[in-house]
Amino acid sequence: MTDQQGPRQAVALLHSDHDPTEFEALVQRHKLRIVYTVHTDAQAALAALIAVQYALEHMADAVVVPHLGVLRPDTPWWAVTEMADLITGTREYPLGSALRTVVGWAP
């Protein structure tokens, strides 16, 4: 998570059946300014790549994916944390957390 005063720029990746109330609550709680929104029901691997692409294009500090919960070690969503913070419906994974979680690295 970046340490700054104003809202963080974020890309949102939303399923077609997302809950707008839940999404807005995440945006408010994490002080995000949504700079781009993707509506997709793509499989996880493709959706994660889409999220990475738009995070890079929009220089986003975070990617918010409300339909995700706790990430398993083998999920493709860890790729997002190499570019930005990943905010799911249940927690936030900071930038770079994939290396510590998936590989087991600790500083």
XYZ file of all heavy atoms in Angstrom:
831
model
N 0.852 -1.175 0.000
C 0.000 0.000 0.000
C 0.894 1.232 0.000
O 1.832 1.323 0.768
C -0.912 -0.025 1.231
C -1.721 1.220 1.370
S -3.215 1.086 2.376
C -2.580 0.668 3.965
N 0.600 2.168 -0.845
C 1.373 3.392 -0.902
C 0.968 4.303 0.238
O -0.149 4.264 0.721
C 1.164 4.107 -2.251
O -0.220 4.348 -2.426
C 1.706 3.287 -3.402
N 1.906 5.133 0.673
C 1.660 6.010 1.810
C 1.500 7.432 1.292
O 2.468 8.139 1.089
C 2.850 5.900 2.763
C 2.494 6.300 4.165
O 1.293 6.346 4.481
O 3.427 6.557 4.952
N 0.273 7.868 1.068
C 0.019 9.194 0.536
C -1.250 9.759 1.141
O -2.064 9.049 1.682
C -0.067 9.156 -0.990
C -1.129 8.216 -1.519
C -0.995 8.026 -3.014
O 0.085 8.104 -3.564
N -2.103 7.778 -3.666
N -1.431 11.068 1.010
C -2.557 11.767 1.637
C -3.865 11.603 0.880
O -4.884 11.302 1.453
C -2.230 13.257 1.782
C -1.026 13.525 2.628
C -1.266 13.189 4.095
O -2.202 12.506 4.470
N -0.393 13.675 4.939
N -3.850 11.836 -0.408
C -5.077 11.821 -1.196
C -5.491 10.422 -1.602
O -4.856 9.438 -1.233
N -6.572 10.336 -2.359
C -7.025 9.023 -2.807
C -6.025 8.377 -3.757
O -5.341 9.059 -4.512
C -8.343 9.314 -3.516
C -8.360 10.764 -3.784
C -7.420 11.415 -2.831
N -5.949 7.057 -3.689
C -5.084 6.300 -4.590
C -5.830 6.065 -5.900
O -7.022 5.780 -5.897
C -4.726 4.938 -3.988
C -3.893 5.042 -2.751
C -3.481 3.672 -2.265
N -4.610 3.010 -1.624
C -4.639 1.727 -1.324
N -3.623 0.947 -1.606
N -5.692 1.201 -0.731
N -5.114 6.162 -6.999
C -5.695 5.844 -8.301
C -5.848 4.333 -8.397
O -4.924 3.592 -8.055
C -4.810 6.341 -9.433
C -4.752 7.828 -9.522
C -4.195 8.265 -10.853
O -4.754 9.138 -11.471
N -3.104 7.696 -11.307
N -7.013 3.902 -8.870
C -7.268 2.467 -8.937
C -8.022 2.090 -10.194
O -8.797 2.873 -10.741
C -8.063 2.022 -7.716
N -7.784 0.865 -10.621
C -8.532 0.234 -11.699
C -9.489 -0.744 -11.033
O -9.108 -1.453 -10.098
C -7.574 -0.503 -12.666
C -8.328 -1.385 -13.628
C -6.700 0.488 -13.404
N -10.726 -0.781 -11.502
C -11.723 -1.715 -10.967
C -11.991 -2.801 -11.995
O -12.116 -2.520 -13.189
C -13.014 -0.979 -10.642
N -12.050 -4.034 -11.530
C -12.415 -5.146 -12.382
C -13.671 -5.778 -11.790
O -13.632 -6.309 -10.684
C -11.276 -6.161 -12.452
C -11.423 -7.152 -13.595
C -10.122 -7.265 -14.355
C -11.866 -8.487 -13.077
N -14.780 -5.655 -12.517
C -16.077 -6.041 -11.976
C -16.732 -7.149 -12.792
O -16.745 -7.094 -14.016
C -17.010 -4.829 -11.949
C -16.501 -3.581 -11.223
C -17.480 -2.435 -11.405
C -16.274 -3.888 -9.761
N -17.276 -8.145 -12.087
C -18.119 -9.170 -12.721
C -19.453 -8.552 -13.092
O -19.866 -7.541 -12.516
C -18.383 -10.309 -11.735
C -17.441 -11.443 -11.866
N -17.539 -12.559 -11.096
C -16.372 -11.664 -12.669
C -16.595 -13.407 -11.405
N -15.872 -12.888 -12.341
N -20.169 -9.187 -14.005
C -21.481 -8.674 -14.409
C -22.481 -8.694 -13.259
O -23.419 -7.911 -13.237
C -22.027 -9.472 -15.590
O -22.136 -10.840 -15.245
N -22.273 -9.568 -12.278
C -23.200 -9.656 -11.145
C -22.649 -8.991 -9.878
O -23.058 -9.321 -8.769
C -23.560 -11.111 -10.862
C -22.360 -11.954 -10.474
O -21.213 -11.455 -10.572
O -22.553 -13.111 -10.067
N -21.735 -8.036 -10.039
C -21.142 -7.397 -8.854
C -22.200 -6.609 -8.071
O -23.215 -6.178 -8.621
C -19.969 -6.493 -9.238
C -20.362 -5.136 -9.731
N -20.805 -4.916 -11.007
C -20.398 -3.937 -9.105
C -21.096 -3.638 -11.151
N -20.859 -3.017 -10.014
N -21.927 -6.426 -6.799
C -22.813 -5.670 -5.911
C -22.301 -4.229 -5.846
O -21.243 -3.982 -5.263
C -22.814 -6.312 -4.525
C -23.676 -5.582 -3.517
O -24.200 -4.489 -3.827
O -23.830 -6.107 -2.399
N -23.011 -3.269 -6.439
C -22.541 -1.874 -6.449
C -22.326 -1.310 -5.046
O -21.409 -0.513 -4.833
C -23.656 -1.119 -7.172
C -24.367 -2.144 -7.967
C -24.256 -3.425 -7.190
N -23.128 -1.730 -4.087
C -22.974 -1.242 -2.712
C -21.664 -1.723 -2.106
O -20.941 -0.955 -1.473
C -24.165 -1.700 -1.843
O -25.370 -1.291 -2.473
C -24.089 -1.124 -0.456
N -21.348 -2.990 -2.319
C -20.087 -3.555 -1.824
C -18.897 -2.870 -2.488
O -17.913 -2.526 -1.837
C -20.053 -5.054 -2.093
C -18.764 -5.720 -1.654
C -18.709 -7.191 -2.051
O -19.758 -7.793 -2.339
O -17.584 -7.716 -2.076
N -19.007 -2.658 -3.797
C -17.938 -1.996 -4.543
C -17.703 -0.580 -4.009
O -16.566 -0.189 -3.733
C -18.278 -1.973 -6.031
C -17.326 -1.150 -6.852
C -15.987 -1.484 -6.943
C -17.775 -0.034 -7.538
C -15.111 -0.718 -7.703
C -16.914 0.732 -8.295
C -15.578 0.387 -8.378
N -18.758 0.182 -3.849
C -18.627 1.560 -3.349
C -18.041 1.582 -1.948
O -17.236 2.455 -1.614
C -19.981 2.274 -3.388
C -19.899 3.746 -3.079
C -18.964 4.520 -4.002
O -18.885 4.225 -5.200
O -18.295 5.456 -3.499
N -18.411 0.614 -1.117
C -17.858 0.537 0.244
C -16.347 0.305 0.199
O -15.593 0.912 0.975
C -18.559 -0.561 1.037
N -15.887 -0.566 -0.716
C -14.446 -0.804 -0.855
C -13.720 0.462 -1.318
O -12.643 0.794 -0.815
C -14.179 -1.929 -1.858
C -14.424 -3.348 -1.383
C -14.298 -4.319 -2.547
C -13.462 -3.722 -0.283
N -14.323 1.160 -2.261
C -13.715 2.397 -2.780
C -13.572 3.418 -1.647
O -12.514 4.038 -1.494
C -14.561 2.967 -3.948
C -14.113 4.375 -4.310
C -14.478 2.046 -5.156
N -14.614 3.591 -0.869
C -14.578 4.550 0.244
C -13.590 4.120 1.334
O -12.796 4.924 1.810
C -15.974 4.721 0.845
C -16.986 5.332 -0.104
C -16.564 6.707 -0.584
O -16.091 7.533 0.182
N -16.732 6.949 -1.879
N -13.655 2.858 1.739
C -12.805 2.358 2.831
C -11.322 2.472 2.493
O -10.504 2.791 3.345
C -13.169 0.908 3.146
C -12.378 0.311 4.299
C -12.814 -1.094 4.621
N -13.550 -1.547 3.458
C -14.451 -2.502 3.405
N -14.750 -3.156 4.387
N -15.073 -2.844 2.314
N -10.976 2.227 1.238
C -9.571 2.252 0.835
C -9.157 3.580 0.202
O -8.029 3.704 -0.281
C -9.290 1.091 -0.117
C -9.392 -0.242 0.546
N -8.386 -0.763 1.319
C -10.406 -1.141 0.578
C -8.757 -1.941 1.778
N -9.983 -2.191 1.347
N -10.071 4.549 0.203
C -9.791 5.891 -0.323
C -9.240 5.839 -1.743
O -8.134 6.289 -2.031
C -8.850 6.640 0.610
C -9.434 6.833 1.988
C -8.489 7.537 2.910
C -9.162 7.665 4.263
N -8.260 7.817 5.346
N -10.046 5.269 -2.636
C -9.644 5.083 -4.022
C -10.326 6.082 -4.936
O -11.443 6.515 -4.682
C -10.021 3.671 -4.481
C -9.462 2.519 -3.668
C -10.034 1.201 -4.157
C -7.946 2.503 -3.704
N -9.640 6.419 -6.000
C -10.238 7.173 -7.101
C -10.152 6.263 -8.315
O -9.060 5.958 -8.805
C -9.504 8.477 -7.364
C -10.148 9.305 -8.486
C -9.542 10.681 -8.588
N -8.180 10.668 -9.073
C -7.828 10.612 -10.368
N -8.747 10.557 -11.296
N -6.568 10.621 -10.714
N -11.292 5.767 -8.772
C -11.324 4.827 -9.887
C -11.014 5.577 -11.181
O -11.713 6.522 -11.547
C -12.689 4.115 -9.979
C -13.019 3.398 -8.667
C -12.719 3.154 -11.165
C -12.029 2.331 -8.252
N -9.942 5.156 -11.868
C -9.533 5.801 -13.111
C -9.942 4.997 -14.339
O -9.948 5.524 -15.446
C -8.015 6.085 -13.134
C -7.647 7.109 -12.064
C -7.200 4.812 -12.982
N -10.276 3.729 -14.133
C -10.731 2.899 -15.240
C -11.485 1.702 -14.666
O -11.080 1.150 -13.648
C -9.547 2.410 -16.084
C -9.968 1.858 -17.423
C -10.263 2.704 -18.481
C -10.081 0.483 -17.624
C -10.664 2.205 -19.712
C -10.479 -0.020 -18.842
C -10.771 0.851 -19.889
O -11.173 0.357 -21.102
N -12.563 1.322 -15.332
C -13.359 0.176 -14.890
C -13.479 -0.824 -16.035
O -13.781 -0.446 -17.167
C -14.770 0.624 -14.462
O -14.633 1.572 -13.395
C -15.597 -0.559 -13.981
N -13.220 -2.087 -15.722
C -13.360 -3.178 -16.674
C -14.517 -4.044 -16.204
O -14.540 -4.477 -15.051
C -12.076 -4.040 -16.739
C -12.260 -5.203 -17.704
C -10.876 -3.203 -17.110
N -15.462 -4.300 -17.086
C -16.561 -5.227 -16.797
C -16.262 -6.504 -17.574
O -16.236 -6.478 -18.816
C -17.907 -4.639 -17.246
C -18.302 -3.445 -16.446
N -19.006 -3.540 -15.270
C -18.073 -2.133 -16.641
C -19.205 -2.336 -14.779
N -18.634 -1.457 -15.593
N -16.005 -7.602 -16.855
C -15.663 -8.858 -17.521
C -16.040 -10.042 -16.659
O -16.029 -9.957 -15.437
C -14.163 -8.925 -17.865
O -13.905 -10.143 -18.576
C -13.288 -8.885 -16.634
N -16.378 -11.122 -17.322
C -16.620 -12.401 -16.662
C -15.582 -13.422 -17.130
O -15.818 -14.626 -17.098
C -18.039 -12.898 -16.955
C -19.093 -12.041 -16.285
O -18.839 -11.533 -15.181
O -20.176 -11.862 -16.874
N -14.433 -12.927 -17.553
C -13.362 -13.791 -18.056
C -12.829 -14.697 -16.950
O -12.943 -14.396 -15.759
C -12.226 -12.936 -18.609
N -12.238 -15.809 -17.365
C -11.587 -16.725 -16.430
C -10.473 -15.993 -15.678
O -9.955 -14.986 -16.149
C -11.000 -17.919 -17.193
C -12.036 -18.774 -17.880
C -12.892 -19.538 -16.881
O -12.452 -19.881 -15.796
N -14.133 -19.792 -17.240
N -10.083 -16.520 -14.524
C -9.139 -15.841 -13.629
C -7.826 -15.449 -14.302
O -7.357 -14.325 -14.126
C -8.866 -16.705 -12.403
N -7.223 -16.346 -15.067
C -5.923 -16.036 -15.676
C -6.029 -14.851 -16.636
O -5.196 -13.936 -16.593
C -5.369 -17.258 -16.402
N -7.037 -14.843 -17.484
C -7.221 -13.742 -18.420
C -7.611 -12.462 -17.683
O -7.085 -11.378 -17.973
C -8.279 -14.085 -19.469
C -8.596 -12.980 -20.484
C -7.337 -12.532 -21.219
C -9.666 -13.462 -21.456
N -8.492 -12.560 -16.712
C -8.919 -11.377 -15.958
C -7.742 -10.746 -15.214
O -7.617 -9.522 -15.164
C -10.035 -11.748 -14.989
N -6.851 -11.573 -14.661
C -5.673 -11.041 -13.968
C -4.766 -10.299 -14.942
O -4.241 -9.224 -14.628
C -4.912 -12.166 -13.268
N -4.585 -10.848 -16.138
C -3.769 -10.166 -17.158
C -4.401 -8.851 -17.591
O -3.702 -7.855 -17.797
C -3.560 -11.072 -18.369
C -2.657 -12.278 -18.151
C -2.676 -13.187 -19.373
C -1.240 -11.832 -17.824
N -5.713 -8.845 -17.735
C -6.425 -7.609 -18.077
C -6.203 -6.562 -16.989
O -5.923 -5.392 -17.278
C -7.931 -7.891 -18.273
C -8.151 -8.721 -19.540
C -8.732 -6.590 -18.314
C -9.549 -9.296 -19.665
N -6.301 -6.986 -15.736
C -6.100 -6.060 -14.614
C -4.689 -5.481 -14.619
O -4.499 -4.280 -14.414
C -6.385 -6.777 -13.293
N -3.694 -6.325 -14.864
C -2.302 -5.857 -14.925
C -2.139 -4.842 -16.058
O -1.529 -3.780 -15.871
C -1.327 -7.046 -15.103
C 0.066 -6.568 -15.482
C -1.276 -7.882 -13.833
N -2.685 -5.158 -17.230
C -2.554 -4.258 -18.389
C -3.118 -2.870 -18.079
O -2.476 -1.857 -18.335
C -3.276 -4.860 -19.603
C -3.285 -3.956 -20.816
C -1.902 -3.729 -21.392
O -1.066 -4.622 -21.388
N -1.661 -2.539 -21.909
N -4.328 -2.824 -17.539
C -4.940 -1.520 -17.277
C -4.294 -0.812 -16.093
O -4.243 0.429 -16.069
C -6.455 -1.647 -17.120
C -7.117 -1.841 -18.455
C -7.676 -3.052 -18.817
C -7.146 -0.807 -19.391
C -8.253 -3.233 -20.062
C -7.708 -0.979 -20.640
C -8.268 -2.188 -20.970
O -8.823 -2.356 -22.215
N -3.784 -1.548 -15.131
C -3.046 -0.916 -14.029
C -1.808 -0.212 -14.573
O -1.499 0.922 -14.179
C -2.663 -1.950 -12.973
N -1.112 -0.869 -15.503
C 0.061 -0.251 -16.126
C -0.327 0.950 -16.980
O 0.304 2.007 -16.892
C 0.796 -1.277 -16.986
C 1.571 -2.347 -16.239
C 2.043 -3.430 -17.197
C 2.747 -1.733 -15.500
N -1.348 0.793 -17.819
C -1.756 1.882 -18.706
C -2.172 3.131 -17.943
O -1.932 4.242 -18.398
C -2.915 1.434 -19.597
C -2.489 0.604 -20.769
C -3.647 0.303 -21.705
O -4.618 1.085 -21.768
O -3.559 -0.733 -22.387
N -2.818 2.938 -16.805
C -3.348 4.079 -16.050
C -2.495 4.432 -14.831
O -2.892 5.269 -14.027
C -4.794 3.792 -15.638
C -5.696 3.689 -16.819
N -6.232 4.794 -17.440
C -6.115 2.622 -17.530
C -6.964 4.405 -18.472
N -6.900 3.090 -18.559
N -1.317 3.792 -14.738
C -0.394 4.041 -13.626
C -1.145 3.988 -12.285
O -0.985 4.845 -11.421
C 0.336 5.363 -13.833
C 1.195 5.331 -15.084
S 1.983 6.906 -15.522
C 2.736 7.390 -14.012
N -1.955 2.959 -12.141
C -2.787 2.809 -10.948
C -1.964 2.336 -9.758
O -1.037 1.543 -9.906
C -3.915 1.825 -11.219
N -2.333 2.833 -8.590
C -1.716 2.393 -7.343
C -2.340 1.093 -6.855
O -1.736 0.365 -6.071
C -1.923 3.453 -6.248
C -1.330 4.790 -6.629
O -0.146 4.821 -7.015
O -2.054 5.805 -6.552
N -3.576 0.835 -7.304
C -4.309 -0.329 -6.812
C -5.243 -0.872 -7.889
O -5.636 -0.153 -8.806
C -5.119 0.044 -5.577
N -5.580 -2.150 -7.728
C -6.607 -2.799 -8.536
C -7.625 -3.351 -7.553
O -7.259 -4.051 -6.608
C -6.020 -3.939 -9.397
C -7.129 -4.723 -10.089
C -5.025 -3.392 -10.415
N -8.890 -3.013 -7.753
C -9.945 -3.487 -6.852
C -10.805 -4.512 -7.591
O -11.269 -4.269 -8.691
C -10.781 -2.314 -6.279
C -11.452 -1.512 -7.348
C -11.789 -2.802 -5.272
N -10.933 -5.698 -6.964
C -11.696 -6.808 -7.533
C -12.615 -7.332 -6.423
O -12.252 -8.239 -5.673
C -10.772 -7.926 -8.063
C -11.581 -8.972 -8.835
C -9.658 -7.363 -8.939
N -13.809 -6.752 -6.286
C -14.678 -7.063 -5.149
C -15.110 -8.518 -5.034
O -15.354 -8.996 -3.933
C -15.904 -6.180 -5.372
C -15.540 -5.199 -6.404
C -14.383 -5.743 -7.155
N -15.192 -9.248 -6.146
C -15.672 -10.627 -6.069
C -14.624 -11.610 -5.560
O -14.944 -12.750 -5.260
C -16.228 -11.098 -7.422
C -15.184 -11.293 -8.475
N -14.740 -10.263 -9.272
C -14.499 -12.397 -8.865
C -13.829 -10.720 -10.109
N -13.667 -12.018 -9.878
N -13.373 -11.184 -5.444
C -12.335 -12.068 -4.909
C -12.344 -12.044 -3.392
O -12.707 -11.052 -2.781
C -10.956 -11.633 -5.399
C -10.665 -11.799 -6.879
C -9.261 -11.294 -7.184
C -10.822 -13.245 -7.301
N -11.894 -13.142 -2.805
C -11.731 -13.225 -1.353
C -10.261 -13.409 -1.030
O -9.399 -12.756 -1.619
N -9.952 -14.358 -0.171
C -8.583 -14.683 0.188
C -7.948 -15.451 -0.968
O -8.553 -16.374 -1.515
C -8.546 -15.515 1.491
C -7.134 -15.956 1.819
C -9.147 -14.717 2.632
N -6.741 -15.061 -1.336
C -6.070 -15.681 -2.480
C -5.337 -16.960 -2.082
O -4.667 -16.993 -1.058
C -5.068 -14.712 -3.099
C -5.612 -13.390 -3.626
C -4.475 -12.596 -4.267
C -6.743 -13.601 -4.610
N -5.466 -17.973 -2.923
C -4.698 -19.208 -2.746
C -3.310 -18.993 -3.349
O -3.139 -18.166 -4.244
C -5.396 -20.366 -3.446
C -6.728 -20.736 -2.847
C -7.293 -22.005 -3.483
N -6.768 -22.265 -4.814
C -7.494 -22.319 -5.916
N -8.798 -22.148 -5.879
N -6.931 -22.562 -7.083
N -2.321 -19.763 -2.907
C -0.963 -19.585 -3.445
C -0.850 -19.804 -4.950
O 0.019 -19.227 -5.583
C -0.144 -20.637 -2.690
C -0.893 -20.851 -1.428
C -2.346 -20.694 -1.783
N -1.718 -20.616 -5.546
C -1.588 -20.940 -6.962
C -2.473 -20.086 -7.879
O -2.585 -20.366 -9.057
C -1.912 -22.410 -7.196
C -3.346 -22.761 -6.813
O -3.987 -21.981 -6.078
O -3.816 -23.832 -7.233
N -3.053 -19.035 -7.377
C -3.944 -18.213 -8.203
C -3.160 -17.236 -9.087
O -2.116 -16.724 -8.673
C -4.940 -17.427 -7.315
O -5.852 -16.737 -8.161
C -4.239 -16.432 -6.422
N -3.647 -16.973 -10.290
C -2.957 -16.014 -11.166
C -3.078 -14.567 -10.686
O -2.375 -13.691 -11.187
C -3.650 -16.198 -12.519
C -4.977 -16.785 -12.208
C -4.798 -17.596 -10.956
N -3.943 -14.309 -9.719
C -4.136 -12.935 -9.238
C -2.889 -12.365 -8.567
O -2.759 -11.146 -8.438
C -5.333 -12.873 -8.295
C -6.619 -13.056 -9.035
C -7.393 -14.181 -9.071
C -7.245 -12.106 -9.882
N -8.469 -13.980 -9.892
C -8.407 -12.714 -10.407
C -6.945 -10.803 -10.264
C -9.274 -12.060 -11.278
C -7.804 -10.150 -11.130
C -8.943 -10.774 -11.627
N -1.955 -13.218 -8.151
C -0.726 -12.700 -7.540
C 0.046 -11.811 -8.511
O 0.776 -10.922 -8.095
C 0.160 -13.846 -7.054
C -0.397 -14.510 -5.845
C -0.908 -15.781 -5.772
C -0.539 -13.963 -4.542
N -1.355 -16.036 -4.506
C -1.133 -14.944 -3.724
C -0.224 -12.721 -3.977
C -1.407 -14.725 -2.376
C -0.497 -12.512 -2.637
C -1.088 -13.500 -1.856
N -0.106 -12.032 -9.820
C 0.594 -11.205 -10.814
C 0.238 -9.735 -10.660
O 1.073 -8.856 -10.899
C 0.255 -11.679 -12.225
N -0.983 -9.450 -10.247
C -1.407 -8.054 -10.067
C -0.550 -7.369 -9.016
O -0.198 -6.191 -9.156
C -2.903 -7.978 -9.688
C -3.324 -6.548 -9.373
C -3.761 -8.564 -10.802
N -0.157 -8.093 -7.971
C 0.608 -7.468 -6.885
C 2.040 -7.129 -7.286
O 2.754 -6.510 -6.515
C 0.619 -8.337 -5.612
O 1.343 -9.541 -5.849
C -0.788 -8.637 -5.143
N 2.443 -7.514 -8.475
C 3.739 -7.086 -8.988
C 3.658 -5.696 -9.609
O 4.676 -5.073 -9.874
C 4.276 -8.099 -9.998
C 4.633 -9.435 -9.368
C 5.639 -9.287 -8.235
O 6.720 -8.693 -8.451
O 5.335 -9.758 -7.124
N 2.428 -5.201 -9.839
C 2.219 -3.894 -10.458
C 1.531 -2.892 -9.529
O 1.718 -1.692 -9.681
C 1.336 -4.030 -11.714
C 1.861 -4.941 -12.768
S 3.460 -4.376 -13.343
C 4.284 -5.931 -13.526
N 0.706 -3.403 -8.609
C -0.119 -2.512 -7.781
C -0.616 -3.284 -6.560
O -0.498 -4.508 -6.501
C -1.319 -2.018 -8.597
N -1.186 -2.544 -5.615
C -1.889 -3.198 -4.513
C -3.117 -3.882 -5.095
O -3.736 -3.371 -6.028
C -2.358 -2.170 -3.473
C -1.220 -1.414 -2.810
O -0.074 -1.902 -2.811
O -1.489 -0.322 -2.282
N -3.486 -5.031 -4.549
C -4.687 -5.741 -4.980
C -5.684 -5.716 -3.823
O -5.382 -6.188 -2.731
C -4.367 -7.182 -5.363
C -5.563 -8.083 -5.697
C -6.335 -7.533 -6.899
C -5.100 -9.507 -5.950
N -6.847 -5.157 -4.076
C -7.888 -5.057 -3.052
C -9.026 -5.982 -3.454
O -9.607 -5.838 -4.527
C -8.385 -3.609 -2.920
C -7.218 -2.713 -2.495
C -9.541 -3.527 -1.927
C -7.498 -1.237 -2.582
N -9.306 -6.949 -2.579
C -10.398 -7.891 -2.823
C -11.550 -7.554 -1.878
O -11.454 -6.622 -1.083
C -9.949 -9.347 -2.590
O -9.768 -9.573 -1.186
C -8.671 -9.667 -3.350
N -12.589 -8.339 -1.953
C -13.733 -8.111 -1.079
C -13.436 -8.352 0.380
O -14.169 -7.887 1.254
N -12.334 -9.053 0.687
C -12.035 -9.386 2.078
C -10.727 -8.836 2.622
O -10.544 -8.776 3.833
C -12.003 -10.911 2.272
O -11.035 -11.478 1.389
C -13.369 -11.523 2.007
N -9.809 -8.452 1.751
C -8.532 -7.919 2.254
C -7.746 -7.197 1.177
O -8.131 -7.195 0.017
C -7.695 -9.008 2.907
C -7.207 -10.086 1.974
C -6.338 -11.078 2.681
N -5.041 -10.481 2.925
C -3.992 -11.152 3.357
N -4.078 -12.427 3.620
N -2.835 -10.564 3.552
N -6.627 -6.630 1.584
C -5.736 -5.932 0.658
C -4.388 -6.643 0.626
O -3.832 -6.975 1.667
C -5.538 -4.479 1.079
C -4.639 -3.716 0.148
C -4.606 -2.226 0.407
O -5.456 -1.726 1.171
O -3.739 -1.557 -0.168
N -3.890 -6.862 -0.583
C -2.580 -7.459 -0.794
C -1.671 -6.362 -1.332
O -1.883 -5.869 -2.436
C -2.669 -8.610 -1.798
C -3.530 -9.746 -1.298
C -4.899 -9.770 -1.557
C -2.974 -10.775 -0.550
C -5.689 -10.804 -1.089
C -3.766 -11.813 -0.075
C -5.121 -11.818 -0.353
O -5.907 -12.840 0.121
N -0.650 -5.976 -0.565
C 0.192 -4.859 -0.998
C 1.097 -5.194 -2.186
O 1.381 -6.360 -2.448
C 1.027 -4.532 0.242
C 0.860 -5.654 1.173
C -0.295 -6.479 0.737
N 1.509 -4.161 -2.854
C 2.461 -4.267 -3.950
C 3.631 -5.137 -3.503
O 4.191 -4.941 -2.434
C 2.959 -2.861 -4.330
C 4.031 -2.773 -5.401
C 3.483 -3.211 -6.744
C 4.559 -1.347 -5.489
N 3.994 -6.119 -4.320
C 5.131 -6.990 -4.015
C 4.820 -8.163 -3.109
O 5.707 -8.961 -2.801
N 3.593 -8.320 -2.677
C 3.279 -9.397 -1.734
C 3.341 -10.782 -2.368
O 3.466 -11.775 -1.666
C 1.924 -9.170 -1.070
O 0.893 -9.147 -2.015
N 3.293 -10.878 -3.682
C 3.375 -12.186 -4.341
C 4.693 -12.863 -4.038
O 4.742 -14.050 -3.761
C 3.193 -12.045 -5.848
N 5.757 -12.127 -4.074
C 7.074 -12.699 -3.827
C 7.151 -13.304 -2.431
O 7.611 -14.412 -2.245
C 8.159 -11.626 -4.010
C 9.599 -12.113 -3.960
C 9.834 -13.166 -5.040
C 10.549 -10.957 -4.147
N 6.637 -12.600 -1.460
C 6.668 -13.100 -0.073
C 5.717 -14.275 0.124
O 6.016 -15.190 0.865
C 6.313 -11.985 0.891
C 7.352 -10.883 0.951
C 7.051 -9.890 2.041
N 5.803 -9.199 1.844
C 5.630 -8.111 1.110
N 6.649 -7.602 0.458
N 4.456 -7.517 1.030
N 4.574 -14.249 -0.538
C 3.548 -15.265 -0.306
C 3.776 -16.528 -1.125
O 3.754 -17.625 -0.603
C 2.152 -14.692 -0.643
O 1.964 -13.521 0.144
C 1.065 -15.686 -0.341
N 3.984 -16.360 -2.398
C 4.080 -17.507 -3.292
C 5.426 -18.196 -3.174
O 5.516 -19.401 -3.106
C 3.792 -17.086 -4.757
C 3.957 -18.257 -5.706
C 2.393 -16.501 -4.860
N 6.484 -17.432 -3.126
C 7.820 -18.000 -3.086
C 8.276 -18.266 -1.664
O 9.133 -19.095 -1.421
C 8.817 -17.055 -3.817
C 10.229 -17.607 -3.777
C 8.379 -16.839 -5.248
N 7.687 -17.592 -0.696
C 8.082 -17.778 0.687
C 9.206 -16.870 1.140
O 9.805 -17.053 2.179
N 9.491 -15.852 0.343
C 10.556 -14.908 0.659
C 10.128 -13.975 1.776
O 8.987 -13.557 1.844
C 10.878 -14.090 -0.585
C 11.891 -13.021 -0.372
C 13.246 -13.182 -0.388
C 11.653 -11.642 -0.099
N 13.846 -11.980 -0.158
C 12.894 -11.021 0.037
C 10.508 -10.886 0.066
C 13.010 -9.672 0.312
C 10.645 -9.547 0.329
C 11.881 -8.955 0.459
N 11.026 -13.670 2.673
C 10.766 -12.687 3.724
C 12.018 -11.841 3.894
O 13.126 -12.375 3.903
C 10.401 -13.373 5.021
N 11.869 -10.507 4.007
C 13.055 -9.648 4.142
C 13.777 -9.881 5.453
O 13.249 -10.345 6.410
C 12.486 -8.238 4.093
C 11.022 -8.338 4.264
C 10.647 -9.768 4.014
